[in-house]
């Protein structure tokens, strides 16, 4: 499946030596094929600086120059010939850690998934998770042609993650506090490891390779077991001065019910998967009702159950209005495993949003998309790709 | 009051010729006195680039070099000697337009107010307002020593203001739509004119000369006739992809009452001056109750009236929690004419904020400050100072 490039030693990584190199490479990666002239125009660099910055990437096999007709034209160096990424030049491992399992992918430089695998977790002991993740990475990189060009792994975890220090500060699902996971994984896998909060990782993938391309500000909202969001301004994910930002799940929109965070009437207290199921059991008086049954019966027209989903949609719509009125994004992507039942709340989300969006903020486009679990792992791989450009890549 | 600098022709403006010049001048303006070595360290520029960028500012009288002891050391050029701004080198006019009057100030380069004046408006006709503003500017600049060093006016208006085109898109208080005010004022005053939304103008003043200095992200919230906010990320005020951002007054926090924006339960529908008065008249059954009386009686212990103010404080606290949980600012400044009665809602604002701030977001500092009306005009002057650095300064 994966073609090999002979003569590329394992140590040959993308030659990102400074800001100009990073800017040129990012531009070709996310917007290419694009000519040197256009790169210069879009980045404000001089043509000479673009040519100089591009050369080492061409020599190392990361970029190639296309002739006008799209063929490769090595060494020609005409400023108007488009530069293109060679996506197979480097591979990246991305892993999402959930409470139940590890979901892993291998992607190319464009974050296109080339292989995926899943390992169940039998416990949340840090050592066990580290070993399981190293095994999964080994399996994903079993092809030598892939392994020889993979240097980085990105790992996505829900909760409070400090990307810079590589520490999981708090993960409710895993019951972890202050685990130096990046260092442990680096030792166990030999791969440069970047940790990120899972929603922020998805936002990175959207920003570079999805709805966020070309949008100066956008938001990604995930709906499922939890409700979260990531806000991107000028290409950067807001992290919050105290590590908290994008917590749309904890925007207060009603007087009740109580939320696990200690607040009242948070979006998540009304619209999370668990909140919906709890309410569905209350209104039906069936304490053993399953989510699957609640969904089936709501779709079949059960009015009290339909109202439970509509109330969740109303709460999400209020949260979206708060987000859009405060933050003013160009686009919002709504995604997450909850989107599988989105037919039950989409109408109410949109209606509530339209009522509460202020003035021309109502023009903000809501794009609704399913989110297969593999996408979370792809987000983690996108973080690893982004890690190419971090000064401390190591 | 104002010292004159002989030999400075009126046309001599700050020689901001490119990004390095702007960066160096801004750093000395907002953080000086600061040595060239420290400017280089803080900006990432080379020492040689800082020295080269600083020289024209010293020659034009905008910056001066201090000896280690604080004395002026012309021409010495030692990299470790601090550079300081000469605040009197240029003056700026700032005007806030309200429905009732114009409030104007003259400030120096540091936005310190040197003089102020107020003109009543007898109508909202555009021509009348332009003439009144030109008269006010003439009065503020009647001292030739000031006039000869004033080139720019900043104007702050509430509503939807397009700073780039200089157009007031919509001002509810003035009843204006699509008024090209900057061009009209430029013709009438001869001063380079920059328009800005009034809350954003205040945020610019805070960012450069107030609580925002040194904070990567902060928010300014104003409480009064309306409730608004401005969010600053990496030194830039968020403007919203569709011109809407920071609308904390239109974050929905309750099921009701109806808001003028068409929504329900917006912060402003509960906590604006008018909303408080309406509710106070309802609970007392006194349709002619004045705000002054409501405040006096609430301070005197009238429980139903105290509850009206507490409900407003609760709504503001919920809006602040939404803002902080989504945006994660380092600090929030709460200000506005409503702060004069802040004793009546502060406790409830802080209590509600603490309950609903998510995790470590509760560490965000809320600074509460009175806002004399002159401050709005000072904000407008800060926008004019910031206009020095705009490429299209003209």
């Amino acid at each position: 499946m994966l073609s090999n490039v002979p003569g590329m030693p394992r140590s040959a990584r993308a030659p990102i030596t400074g800001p100009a190199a990073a800017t040129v490479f990012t531009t070709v990666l996310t917007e290419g094929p694009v000519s040197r002239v256009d790169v210069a125009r879009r980045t404000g660099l001089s043509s000479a600086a673009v040519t100089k910055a591009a050369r080492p990437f061409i020599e190392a096999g990361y970029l190639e120059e296309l002739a006008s007709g799209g063929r490769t034209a090595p060494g020609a160096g005409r400023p108007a010939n488009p530069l293109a990424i060679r996506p197979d030049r480097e591979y990246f491992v991305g892993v999402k850690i959930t409470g139940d399992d590890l979901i892993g992918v291998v992607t190319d430089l464009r974050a296109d998934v080339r292989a995926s695998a899943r390992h169940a977790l039998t416990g949340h002991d840090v050592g066990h998770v580290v070993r399981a993740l190293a095994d999964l990475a080994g399996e994903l990189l079993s092809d030598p042609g892939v392994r020889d060009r993979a240097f980085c792994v990105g790992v996505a975890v829900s909760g409070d993650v400090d990307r810079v220090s590589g520490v999981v500060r708090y993960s409710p699902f895993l019951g972890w506090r202050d685990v130096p996971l990046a260092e442990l994984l680096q030792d166990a896998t030999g791969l440069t490891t970047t940790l990120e909060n899972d929603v922020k990782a998805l936002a990175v993938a959207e920003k570079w390779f999805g709805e966020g391309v070309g949008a100066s500000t956008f938001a990604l909202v995930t709906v499922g077991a939890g409700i979260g969001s990531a806000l991107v301004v000028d290409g950067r994910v807001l992290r919050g001065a105290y590590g908290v930002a994008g917590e749309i799940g904890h925007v207060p929109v009603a007087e009740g019910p109580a939320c696990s965070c200690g607040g009242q009437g948070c979006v998540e207290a009304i619209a999370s998967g668990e909140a919906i199921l709890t309410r569905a059991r209350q209104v039906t008086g069936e304490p053993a009702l399953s989510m699957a049954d609640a969904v089936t019966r709501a779709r079949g027209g059960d009015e009290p159950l339909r109202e439970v989903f509509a109330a969740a949609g109303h709460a999400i719509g209020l949260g979206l209005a708060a987000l859009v009125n405060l933050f003013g994004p160009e686009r919002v992507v709504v995604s997450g495993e909850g989107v599988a039942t989105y037919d039950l709340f989409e109408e109410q989300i949109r209606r509530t949003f339209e009522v509460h969006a202020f003035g021309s903020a109502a023009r903000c486009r809501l794009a609704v998309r399913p989110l297969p679990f593999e996408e979370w792992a792809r987000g983690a791989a996108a973080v690893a790709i982004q890690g190419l450009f971090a000064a401390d890549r190591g």
Side-chain angles (χ1 to χ4, degrees), chain A residues 27-49:
Chain A
T27 304
V28 180
L29 175 64
T30 59
E31 303 171 38
V34 54
S35 70
R36 290 178 181 80
V37 170
D38 280 338
V39 172
R41 192 156 37 214
R42 292 179 201 180
T43 60
L45 293 167
S46 70
S47 276

Side-chain angles (χ1 to χ4, degrees), chain A residues 130-131 133-135 182-191 193:
Chain A
V130 167
R131 277 190 302 277
L133 202 148
D135 288 350
E183 193 186 334
L184 295 169
L185 288 174
Q186 194 130 345
D187 291 347
T189 64
L191 299 169
T193 305

Side-chain angles (χ1 to χ4, degrees), chain A residues 377-394:
Chain A
R378 178 174 171 262
V383 168
I385 297 170
Q386 193 190 40
L388 283 179
F389 303 96
D392 57 348
R393 189 192 164 200

Side-chain angles (χ1 to χ4, degrees), chain A residues 100-372:
Chain A
D100 302 321
D101 51 12
L102 303 176
I103 298 126
V105 296
V106 173
T107 77
D108 62 22
L109 268 161
R110 279 238 178 84
D112 285 337
V113 173
R114 300 305 192 92
S116 65
R118 199 161 180 150
H119 274 200
L121 285 178
T122 53
H124 295 160
D125 173 71
V126 174
H128 168 72
V129 173
V130 167
R131 277 190 302 277
L133 202 148
D135 288 350
L136 178 66
E139 181 183 321
L140 286 163
L141 299 177
S142 58
D143 178 337
V146 177
R147 187 175 60 237
D148 289 352
R149 279 178 281 147
F151 315 106
C152 301
V153 58
V155 177
V157 188
S158 75
D160 183 357
V161 174
D162 186 344
R163 176 173 177 159
V164 173
S165 66
V167 170
V168 177
R169 296 221 173 282
Y170 178 51
S171 164
F173 288 125
L174 297 169
W176 289 1
R177 280 193 189 274
D178 296 319
V179 174
L181 188 62
E183 193 186 334
L184 295 169
L185 288 174
Q186 194 130 345
D187 291 347
T189 64
L191 299 169
T192 300
T193 305
T194 310
L195 290 192
E196 184 56 285
N197 164 274
D198 55 353
V199 181
K200 293 191 175 72
L202 273 184
V204 168
E206 284 295 333
K207 174 172 89 68
W208 280 36
F209 307 106
E211 286 280 334
V213 174
S216 64
T217 56
F218 80 96
L220 174 80
V221 176
T222 58
V223 177
I227 295 172
S229 74
L231 314 183
V232 177
V233 180
D234 289 337
R236 291 174 55 182
V237 180
L238 286 192
R239 315 195 76 84
Y242 305 101
V244 171
E247 287 291 352
I248 192 174
H250 298 284
V251 165
V253 295
E255 287 304 306
C259 182
S260 59
C261 74
Q264 294 274 331
C266 297
V267 172
E268 203 168 290
I270 300 165
S272 72
E274 190 184 319
I276 291 173
L277 185 56
T278 300
R279 186 82 190 117
R281 287 171 174 172
Q282 283 170 355
V283 301
T284 56
E286 298 172 36
L289 181 69
S290 72
M291 188 59 148
D293 284 346
V295 168
T296 305
R297 281 159 53 179
R299 282 185 179 143
D302 182 315
E303 216 31 66
L305 282 173
R306 290 187 72 79
E307 275 166 27
V308 171
F309 284 96
H314 181 61
I316 294 169
L318 291 171
L320 284 174
L323 185 157
V324 167
N325 292 349
L326 285 169
F327 177 66
E330 195 172 333
R331 301 170 200 163
V332 177
V333 178
V334 181
S335 194
E337 66 272 22
V339 167
T341 53
Y342 206 69
D343 56 300
L344 291 171
F345 28 69
E346 175 165 14
E347 189 190 338
Q348 189 62 54
I349 288 179
R350 291 192 183 272
R351 196 185 301 158
T352 299
F353 175 74
E354 276 159 27
V355 168
H356 291 274
F358 184 68
S360 53
R363 287 163 56 201
C364 176
R365 183 153 60 90
L366 301 185
V368 178
R369 282 231 304 272
L371 184 69

Side-chain angles (χ1 to χ4, degrees), chain A residues 58 63-77 81-82 84-86:
Chain A
I58 295 172
L63 298 183
E64 63 186 349
E65 183 170 8
L66 307 177
S68 317
R71 287 167 298 113
T72 305
N81 281 354
I85 198 85
R86 295 181 67 185

